[in-house]
Amino acid sequence: MGAMAMKIYNGYAFAVLFAIVVFGSFIANSATTGTMDMSTAILLKVDQSGNGDFKKIQDAIDAVPSNNSELYFILVKPGTYREKLQVPADKPFITLSGTLASNTIITWGDTGEIIQSATLSNTFGTSGKAVALRVEGDRVAFYGCKILSYQDTLLDDAGRHYYSNCYIEGATDFICGNAASLFERCHLHSLSTVDGAITAQHRNSPSEDTGFSFLGCKITGVGTALLGRPWGPYSRVVFALTYMSSVVVPQGWDDWGDQSKQRYMINVHSGINSHS
């Protein structure tokens, strides 16, 4: 994750997390509403050099008690942390914060079943599913983070999530899942050479209040890419006030041969939307 502001997004905890992310901040927060006073948070420092409370991020997470009701702020000092992290569902009120995305990195390499392979910044490669971050929890926020992999980079699985000023990179279905999420001022970068899909939203019923909304974002890439394809029959994705470089093909969406799946993947061309 990249550098993250000391902002709170009220919510519950994660269930299972990541692969590799480059650090800003993410917050897995409370079941209450309203603004939280971070001055009351318990500070835990992670420093590979030994000048902190822990050398590993997971050790700091493990130190937070189950069914926690206090704010914890885990400050991660610069370094490359080779860990596969998990924030359990019974540990809410946690903020993880690094300094800069360029110098605070969490990395691992894994593939296989997408629920278990998440590893923040996933260095597995291009030959299979390699989730970098899995988010399954309500009211979780990410600020200034880099989320990097190739296929299924961000498994935005379930719950309500907020991504602000994040950089998300991949080639195939690299933002996928069935959460209700807002991506604001994020940079989406496609590594696909030919018509890879940026999104694969998994809404299965018209009654589900889920979908991906991209507001004020930017899309770039190395080849050509589709805005998305429907993982579920009622996939819902909206791009608004978003800059789209020529990497986005005029077709826009791939409906997998079923035109009825186009109806929820619309409202794409509102606001600033250029091919240049």
Side-chain angles (χ1 to χ4, degrees), residues 115-139:
I115 301 300
Q116 301 299 328
S117 63
T119 174
L120 229 43
S121 170
N122 200 323
T123 57
F124 175 75
T126 63
S127 60
K129 300 173 183 176
V131 175
L133 174 67
R134 178 186 174 219
V135 191
E136 184 192 37
D138 198 33
R139 297 181 180 179

Side-chain angles (χ1 to χ4, degrees), residues 14 45 61 83 96-97 107 109 112 126 175 178-179 185-186 195 200 205-206 224-225:
F14 282 26
K45 295 181 180 179
I61 295 169
E83 303 185 49
L96 269 178
S97 182
T107 185
T126 63
I175 301 175
N178 196 23
R185 299 184 302 278
C186 291
D195 296 355
S205 164
T224 59

Side-chain angles (χ1 to χ4, degrees), residues 13-52:
F14 282 26
V16 183
L17 278 182
F18 342 102
I20 295 187
V21 172
V22 192
F23 247 143
S25 295
F26 81 77
I27 304 173
N29 273 341
S30 77
T32 62
T33 59
T35 302
M36 286 187 159
D37 181 5
M38 285 300 292
S39 66
T40 65
I42 298 169
L43 177 63
L44 301 178
K45 295 181 180 179
V46 180
D47 190 337
Q48 290 178 321
S49 68
N51 294 319

